[in-house]
Amino acid sequence: EIVLTQSPGTLSLSPGERATLSCRASQSVSSNYLAWYQQKPGQAPRLLIYGASSRATGIPDRFSGSASGTDFTLTISRLEPEDFAVYYCQHYGSSRWTFGQGTKVEIK
Amino acid sequence: EVQLLESGGGLVQPGGSLRLSCAASGFTFSSYAMSWVRQAPGKGLEWVSTITASGANTYYADSVKARFTISRDNSKNTMYLQMNSLRAEDTAVYYCASPINGWAYFDFRGQATLVTVSS
């Protein structure tokens, strides 16, 4: 069973700063099936990145994803006020879908 | 526009049963796999179950296997989740999700339905 571990648990930053969120898989996984979601309070999650580095439709280019082995990174180049939220990574493999525990990006 | 409308949530005692529904519109429902994803209060997301487009194949998280049953009625554009032997740890908001960019990813277009398991 693949476990996705996200770090840090909470990231305290100011608008305009760069955010770097990590997601580590417990074993080798296909980057083709790694996604990132954003969730704001009281709202459903929204797909940001799929295939580790492809932006979903309508997602601003300040969001980017990358992969290196079992380590996946979501980068927000310059935080906008609307980017403060919780972010989840998610993997699909062998008919199982797994989420990380989430990283909260909060205003410093 | 894709729309998903979850319903059927509520308060149920431990050991009880509940059936959730997800009514879909805005896309060819019968052509796509569908899923349930839940989120316990203040916690993260957890995949629950997925059903293929025809309904021939179903998949479950270990935490709900043998207690939950996913199904669909393509003539009604509706998916269901029959939940039996409910436990306190099943308390969560349950999201219906359609696939996006392939069936590996989720598109959440509904408002979710809250299931509370408590005596």
Side-chain angles (χ1 to χ4, degrees), chain A residues 1 31-35 37 39 43-47 50-52 56 88 90 92 95-101, chain B residues 35 37 39 43-47 49-50 59-62 65 95 100-101 103-111:
Chain A
E1 178 186 346
S31 61
N32 291 333
Y33 297 124
L34 194 287
Y37 297 81
Q39 187 178 33
Q43 296 185 17
R46 177 176 69 149
L47 180 68
Y50 66 96
Y88 296 94
Q90 175 250 316
Y92 165 75
S95 302
R96 299 185 69 86
W97 291 258
T98 305
F99 288 93
Q101 82 278 17
Chain B
S35 300
V37 174
Q39 186 169 35
K43 302 297 184 182
L45 302 169
E46 180 187 15
W47 168 71
S49 184
T50 295
Y59 308 93
Y60 299 94
D62 290 343
K65 199 173 294 183
Y95 291 99
I100 184 172
N101 297 111
W103 90 325
Y105 311 115
F106 302 112
D107 189 13
F108 300 92
R109 297 295 186 110
Q111 83 292 350

Side-chain angles (χ1 to χ4, degrees), chain A residues 6-76:
Chain A
Q6 293 187 240
S7 61
T10 302
L11 200 51
S12 299
L13 296 168
S14 300
E17 289 193 293
R18 181 184 187 92
T20 303
L21 287 67
S22 174
C23 173
R24 174 167 290 177
S26 59
Q27 58 187 275
S28 178
V29 298
S30 170
S31 61
N32 291 333
Y33 297 124
L34 194 287
W36 291 92
Y37 297 81
Q38 177 194 67
Q39 187 178 33
K40 298 178 182 179
Q43 296 185 17
R46 177 176 69 149
L47 180 68
L48 298 175
I49 300 288
Y50 66 96
S53 59
S54 298
R55 275 187 300 276
T57 302
I59 302 304
D61 60 7
R62 64 180 181 272
F63 291 92
S64 64
S66 63
S68 177
T70 58
D71 292 330
F72 299 88
T73 301
L74 173 69
T75 302
I76 310 172

